Amino acid sequence: MPSPAIAPFLGATGRMMQYRKYSEASAVGFLSAILFTVFSDPVRSYVDFGEKWLELSGLPYQMNTALLGFIVGFGTVRILLLMRLQLFKMLLNYRGWMHNPKSTTTKMWGLMLNAMRGKGNFPTYYFQEVLPKLPVPDLNTSCDRFLASMRPILSDEDFRNLLTEVIDFKEKDGPILQSYLLQRATRTNNWLKDIWMNLAYLSNRKPIAVNVNCYATDRLNIPSTKQKARGATLIHWILRFHEQLQDETLKPQYMQDMIPMCMESYKTQFSTVRVPCSGIDRLDTYKDSNYIIITRRGIYYKLEVKAPDNDGKDRLLTVTEIYSILEKIFAETEASEECHQVSNRLKLMENPTNKESLHAVEAAITVFSFDDEKPSSIDENGLLTLCGNGTNRWNDKSLTFAIFSNGVVGVNAEHTAGDATLPGRMWEYFLQSETYTAEGNIISEQTRKKKLPVPQKINWDLKYMDSEIDTAKEHFRKLSHSFELVVSSPEYGKGFIKKKRMSPDGYIQMVLQLAYYKLYQKVPKTYESASTRIFSEGRTETIRPVSEYSAQFVKSMLSESATREQKLMLLRKAVQYQTQIKMDACCGLGWDRHLLGLFACCQELKRTPPALFMDKNFFAPDILSTSQTPTNYTNKWTMETSCMGGGFFATSFEGYGVSYMIYGEDLIKFHVSCNLNCPTTSAAKMSDAINEAMNEMREICS
C-alpha cells in the first residue's frame, strides 16, 4: 500500500483505492473533532467567529464544537491534497531532467519529486490521474525537422518538390489544421491515442499474422526440456501476473526509477481480441474473463483458472494442479485425428456452434498452444513462435503462448493491444520466477483444491468450410514462408561504446546505417521507436536517426580519402544528433506523429488534402524498421534468466526489420528479418553486414 506520506494527497484509482479518496481526510476530520471536543477551552477563542452559526444549529455545544473540528480537519487535508496534487503535476511537466540530468535545477527537482511521490507499493494505476498530457509540437519546428530527416534520402528533384510543398503547407493549410489539433488536445487526455490506433493498426488491411504481430523468444539455456512441466509452470506464472493486474497490485513502472509511466495499455494486455471488421477493426476486452484456452494438435479446451480451496475461497490453480490437468489433455489428444483448422471469421459466425466457440476463444484471458515442433536455435524459436503452422496461433488475441515439445517457449503478441515493453515485463517476470527439480520436473505440492476444474472441449463444425479453409491455408503458407529471420551477436557490447562516451542506442543506429549502406550504397528511410509513456495514455513516437551527419558518416566509411579522425568526428556528430532527437521524441516533441495528427485532422474536417499529404514521399515506407527491446524491468534480472530477444517482420517489402537487445556490458542480440520473396533483400547478408559494421566502427574508435 502507499506510504502515509503520499497516500492522502494523490487521490486514488482502481478498486483497491476507491474508498481512500476521502478516507484519510475523514480520519483527520474525526481526530480533529475529538481534539476540539476534549480541549474545547483552548480552542474556544479560535472558533468564536462561528459561535452564532453553531447556536442556530440547535445542537448541543459539545456537538457543535466537534462538528466544527471535523470541518476544520477535513477541509485542511483536502486543501493540502489539492495543493500537493497540483505541485506533483507541475513537477511531472518538467523535461529538463532528460536534457540536463546533472544540472542543479534537475537535482532539486528530483529531490522534490521523490518527496512528493513517497515510497511504497503503489497500486498499478495509482499515478494515472496526475500524468501530463501529450503536448502538441510547434508546426514550423515539425515541418523543418521533417525536411531535415528527408534531405539525405531524396534526390535533388524530389527534395525540391517536397520543400515547396512544405512551405506552402506552413503558409496555408498547416495553421488551420494545427489550430484544430490544439482544440482536440484540450478535449482529450491524449490527442494522438485514437489517431494512432486507427491509422496505424485498426484500419490496416494487411493480415495481422506475421505482418503486425511480434514475438519474444526463450532464455538461452532452458531450465526444463519437458513440455508439460514447462507449460504448467508458464501457465501458472502468467496467470499470477494477470492476477496482479486484476487486483491492481502490479507495481507501476518508472522511468529513471523516479518518473511514473502510463499503465493504461495494461488494461488490454489480457482478455483482449482484435475483431476483424469491414473498413476498420475494433478491440474488444473482456475484463471479467476467468478462463484460458489450451490448444494441442488442433483441439481447443476451455479451462477455468481458479477453484475453491479447502477454506472455500477461489484461488489460482497451482503448477501441480495445472500439470495434472495437462496430463489429461495430452492423453486425450495424443492419438486423436481431430484437428480443427479454424479460419474465416465471417463464415464461422454463420453457424451457431462455431459462433459460440469463437466467442469462447475471443473472450478468454489468453491462449496457450502446445506444439509438436522442436526449435533448436533462437532463430527457429522466433520464427515458429511468430508463425506457427497456421492452426496453432490465434493471431487476433492480444497474447498467444507457444510451448514446444522440447520445452522451449515463446510468446506471440498482437501489436494493436500494446507495445513490446508490456509483454516484455510479463515475460521477464515468468523467466525469473520459474523453478524445477534438477531433472526438469515440476516441484510437486499437495493440492488444496476441493475439486479441480475440468477442461471443456470446444466444438467446431467446419464441414461446410472446406473451400475457405483450403484458401486460408494456402494464403498463410505463402505469408509465413516469406518470413526470413537471422539472429546474431557482434563481438562486443555497450561497455566498449560507453567508454568512448557515446550513447549505445545511437551507436547501434549508426551501425545499422553503415550496414545497409555497405550493401546498397543508399541511405535508407529509417524508423526507430521511442516511448512516450511518461504522458497520459502515451505509447510511442518515431525517432528518425538519419541526418546529414549519418549520411556523411556512412559515405566516409567507404571512402579511401576520408581520415580516421574525420570518420570518428562524423560518427560522434551522428550519434549526438540521434540522441537529441530521441530525447525530444520521448518528451512528446517528435514530428512524425504530429504530421500524422495533422493528416487525420484534414480527414476529419473533410478538407481537400494539401499537396504535402499527396506527395509520394510523405507516406514512403520505412526501409529500416528498428526497435530496441528493453530488458531489466526489475532488480531481479539476471543474464541467465533473460530472454534472447524478440522481433517483428519487415514493414516494407524491400526493407528490413531489426530488433536489438542489449545485455549487460558485453552482449547485443540482433534479430534481423526480411521478406524472402524480395530478390534484393537477405536477412543473412544484412546480419553479416551488421557484424562487419560493428567491427569497422570499433577500429576507428580504438
Side-chain angles (χ1 to χ4, degrees), residues 69 110 122 208 254 258 263 265 327 338 415 436-437 453 460 489 498 524 577 590 630 700:
F122 300 103
I208 64 172
Y254 302 95
M258 186 165 53
M263 303 290 285
S265 291
E327 286 190 312
E338 183 180 6
H415 216 321
Y436 306 88
T437 66
W460 305 93
S489 298
K498 287 165 61 179
Y577 175 86
I700 68 168

Side-chain angles (χ1 to χ4, degrees), residues 184 192-205 274 279-283 416 539 596 600 603-604:
R184 180 192 183 95
L192 178 62
K193 179 183 177 182
D194 292 339
I195 292 174
W196 181 245
M197 179 74 79
N198 292 335
L199 293 183
Y201 294 112
L202 296 179
S203 62
N204 188 339
R205 297 295 86 190
R274 176 168 165 171
I280 185 169
D281 299 344
R282 71 173 192 269
L283 275 187
T416 313
R539 289 188 59 169
L596 182 69
Q603 289 186 319
E604 287 183 20

